[in-house]
Amino acid sequence: MSNCAIVGINWGDEGKGRMVDYFADQYDVVVRYQGGNNAGHTVINSYGKFALNLLPSGIFHRDAVNLLGPGVVIDLKHLVEEIGRLRAGGVEITPDNLKISDRAVMVLPIHPLQDKWEEIRLGKNSFGSTLRGISPIYGDKYMKKAIQMGDLLHPASLEAHLHRLIDWKNALVAHGYEQPEFDFDEILAWIHTYGDQLIPHICDAGELLEKKQAEGHSIMFEAQLGALRDINYGIYPFTSSSSSLACNAPVGCGLPSLKVDEVVGVTKAYSTCVGEGPFVGELDGQAAHDLREAGGEYGAATGRPRRVAWMDIPATRYGTKLQGTTALALTKIDVLSYLDEIPVCVAYKLNGEIIDRFPYTPDLYDCEPVYEVLPGWKCDVSGIRKYEDLPEATRNYIEFIEKRVGAPIKYVSVGAEREALIIRD
């Protein structure tokens, strides 16, 4: 079986978790290859409803090996607690089905604090961070200051790296943020309290993946956030601090020579966004309230209300191309069932010119949405499992998006449950 990446097309929160959960039993290995516990993948299955932040969504499938690759940043306390919550829900998690790359780096208590202090310093110009310490830890990684998970197996190396990190951070926080200095012993004790519980899961990710591939096992790559939050191609600087693109999956998983054969891009039937930055066509007032409530649009990681808009074709087409999408999954089509008419943003008006491309970030602030309005279907579609049984207006809406975006919509989600999915031939 081919290797497949499940990725976001838009600003994140597209429904990747439910799609990974659906696909996971078809793959032998599920890998998170970037991001940290700022992710929020909501999964509803036979075990119940879970919001996953760090654990790959394949953790619910007992035969799958789940891997946190070297591109992931790991809050030790959060991961231990997330494992505990799932175990309490009856999910089996062992060193056999959960692996952690020795090259993944640790998010320490330092990093969320630094995240918060920087947002306070920025004031009205803040980025809308999740305050999980993601930007500071990726900064440390590329400054060659971070501590890797493998250091838990080498105590002398761990302490030497931590001394260097603490010395550097204290100089930064004391003079830059005017905050109290960090205590080496406290941070080291915190690392051992949580990190030592994870030692049995630590492995050489490259060796694991090479062996699995040689044995003919299939691999699924799970992304966090979406293409428009990618550090290189997203709405910079209102992005994540890693690359959420499918082309980064081999690098972030632990074996750069792996190939991604298929890319399933996930997009909602309307648009949502958490955090700051330009968001063309953002709704407000009653229209925003109605759509947000119908879709339950509150962040799985933060609980923050999501910004909402109608489906944005230029943004979705751009994200689809960035991801190299071979098939699209359209989620939450059922949410739109309350509408008599459904606007779709098909282009932007920029400085008097109609454009259908997704422009450079500063230009987005000057863009106005250009809409086409499609008829609604005004009926519940959540129980439908065959595409031909959908109302004609629903099928027309799906096919309109498919044609304008330029990629086949193979999967249509009509509900949050695993089985609430239509597969188009």
Side-chain angles (χ1 to χ4, degrees), residues 294-314:
E297 295 301 345
Y298 297 88
T302 63
R304 288 186 297 182
R306 293 179 182 135
R307 302 159 69 188
V308 295
W310 305 121
M311 163 61 75
D312 186 322
I313 295 295

Side-chain angles (χ1 to χ4, degrees), residues 228-243:
L228 303 183
R229 296 293 190 186
D230 180 79
I231 185 66
N232 296 307
Y233 296 98
I235 53 169
Y236 189 87
F238 304 99
T239 64
S240 190
S241 299
S242 60
S243 176

